Amino acid sequence: MKKHLIIVTAGLLAISLAGCDATKNDTIYDSDASLAGGDNCSKMYATATTWGNSFKFSRGTLSGAETIWKYQSAGNGTEITLQYTLEETNSGSAKLVLIDPDDTVITLSEASSTRQEDTYSFTADESGTYRVKLAGKESAAVSGTLEYSHGSSSTD
C-alpha cells in the first residue's frame, strides 16, 4: 500500500509540473505580440482579492502574463482611470501593461525593489476589449493593487 502511495504521489507531481516551463514563458515578457495574445503563465503562491473597483494581488513566482482587468468598450469615448501600485518583493522582473482593442501594448509600470505608484487615464474611443496584464519573468515575486473607474477584475 505504501509503495502505491509513493507511485501515485510521484505521478501527480510529474503531472502538476508538466507544461510549467517557466523559461519558455519568460519570453512573453519582452514580446508585445505575446503580451497582446492569450494568457500564458506559470505562477505559484498566487493570491487575489477583489472588492468594489479594486483588485489586490500577490504572486510568489510569476513567469509569463495574465489578464487582471478588462473593459468592453462600445467606442463611445468613456474616460477610464487606472490607479495602481506594483512592488517586486524578491526576484525576477514584473510589469503592468495596458492592451487596447488593436493589441497595442503600453507599459504602465515596471516593478523595482521600491513600491511604484501611479495613475493612468485614457479615453476608450475604440470598440473592443481593453485589458491590463501582469507580466513576469525569471520567476518574479510581485505584489500590487489596481483600482479602476470602469471594467472588472479578471483572474483568468
Side-chain angles (χ1 to χ4, degrees):
M1 180 69 175
K2 194 173 190 179
K3 186 176 184 178
H4 292 298
L5 181 59
I6 292 171
I7 292 171
V8 168
T9 303
L12 289 174
L13 180 61
I15 290 170
S16 68
L17 294 177
C20 292
D21 183 1
T23 57
K24 178 183 175 199
N25 288 337
D26 281 348
T27 61
I28 294 169
Y29 186 90
D30 295 312
S31 167
D32 284 356
S34 295
L35 287 169
D39 290 0
N40 189 1
C41 71
S42 299
K43 58 186 173 183
M44 293 179 61
Y45 311 110
T47 62
T49 306
T50 302
W51 66 99
N53 285 0
S54 185
F55 179 71
K56 182 177 181 178
F57 57 88
S58 177
R59 305 292 183 261
T61 65
L62 175 66
S63 293
E66 64 177 319
T67 303
I68 63 170
W69 172 84
K70 290 181 182 178
Y71 174 70
Q72 186 63 41
S73 173
N76 56 358
T78 301
E79 290 293 321
I80 306 288
T81 300
L82 303 172
Q83 189 172 9
Y84 48 87
T85 63
L86 191 62
E87 184 173 359
E88 187 176 3
T89 56
N90 192 4
S91 62
S93 299
K95 63 184 175 181
L96 286 174
V97 296
L98 173 66
I99 304 160
D100 72 13
D102 291 331
D103 290 339
T104 301
V105 177
I106 300 166
T107 299
L108 298 174
S109 180
E110 291 204 52
S112 66
S113 58
T114 59
R115 180 182 171 126
Q116 306 293 315
E117 189 171 342
D118 208 348
T119 300
Y120 184 81
S121 297
F122 66 97
T123 303
D125 287 331
E126 299 176 53
S127 61
T129 304
Y130 289 81
R131 300 168 284 157
V132 169
K133 284 191 175 186
L134 174 63
K137 70 177 179 178
E138 300 166 355
S139 298
V142 63
S143 62
T145 60
L146 174 67
E147 295 180 25
Y148 42 89
S149 60
H150 297 78
S152 60
S153 65
S154 172
T155 54
D156 297 345

